[in-house]
Amino acid sequence: MSRRTRIFIGMTLILLLAAAGFIIRYDPSGAKYELFHEHSGQFEAVKSETLLLMDSLDERSDIGNTFIYSNNGNTTSPFHDSVNTEMQDKIGQIAAWSGDSLDFVRYSRQDGKPLLRFVFDWEREHGPTYHIVYCASQSMVEQAYAAEPVKYKLTPLADGWYGIEIE
């Protein structure tokens, strides 16, 4: 075998091993959370404004699900009555960046801690439904999803932020 042939075979093997390593480590569920990683500031802004809004609306320790945004078409406005235009624009921008797969933004408070859920692809038109969730406690996120009749995969995204893929 000539030197040129051995070099060619060696380079081919290296490329095949690198490609195999990439395929093995590739997590397709992580790709959907790129929206959060690219626009985390916008998610943080919506979170901050939601917390201020909900604190001003209700002082109870536990609040059931409040839909801040609902893209189901059953109402004249997709936003909660108390959401100002600035916050509507921020949520609308997240919806646009997601290719309009943002279906709901829901807020609840359990044991005095806020739980904010951005629900994407509810109808599963583009794959599994997934949520981007803010909560200061991962155990509370796990508890909230364990109470629902679904299987899920939790992926930490940032401090207090989690990705939830519904199986």
Side-chain angles (χ1 to χ4, degrees):
M1 212 184 303
S2 73
R3 183 171 189 248
R4 179 178 270 176
T5 304
R6 280 186 261 156
I7 291 173
F8 178 73
I9 289 173
M11 291 176 69
T12 302
L13 285 174
I14 289 171
L15 286 173
L16 287 173
L17 288 173
F22 176 76
I23 291 169
I24 289 170
R25 288 181 304 170
Y26 178 69
D27 180 9
S29 65
K32 62 181 53 93
Y33 303 127
E34 286 303 311
L35 174 68
F36 174 79
H37 293 298
E38 292 173 1
H39 306 289
S40 60
Q42 192 82 338
F43 281 89
E44 283 288 340
V46 171
K47 175 199 79 167
S48 297
E49 289 187 31
T50 299
L51 296 178
L52 287 172
L53 172 67
M54 297 312 292
D55 283 346
S56 70
L57 291 178
D58 199 286
E59 295 296 324
R60 295 178 296 168
S61 64
D62 289 328
I63 297 174
N65 282 325
T66 300
F67 284 87
I68 303 299
Y69 170 79
S70 177
N71 190 19
N72 66 6
N74 292 339
T75 60
T76 56
S77 172
F79 296 97
H80 187 277
D81 292 341
S82 300
V83 174
N84 64 33
T85 56
E86 186 177 326
M87 188 171 168
Q88 288 179 17
D89 291 344
K90 289 176 182 167
I91 293 172
Q93 189 64 55
I94 291 172
W97 287 328
S98 73
D100 289 325
S101 67
L102 177 64
D103 291 306
F104 306 107
V105 178
R106 297 182 347 194
Y107 175 87
S108 63
R109 197 177 325 162
Q110 298 169 354
D111 297 331
K113 294 180 183 165
L115 179 66
L116 181 62
R117 304 177 198 201
F118 294 81
V119 179
F120 296 87
D121 209 7
W122 181 256
E123 298 292 327
R124 297 177 177 251
E125 293 174 5
H126 308 289
T129 299
Y130 65 99
H131 303 183
I132 295 176
V133 177
Y134 170 79
C135 185
S137 165
Q138 180 174 336
S139 64
M140 193 175 105
V141 173
E142 292 169 348
Q143 179 183 359
Y145 282 89
E148 296 184 15
V150 296
K151 288 185 177 183
Y152 68 93
K153 178 183 173 186
L154 184 140
T155 304
L157 301 176
D159 190 32
W161 289 95
Y162 305 92
I164 305 286
E165 183 176 354
I166 306 298
E167 297 177 359

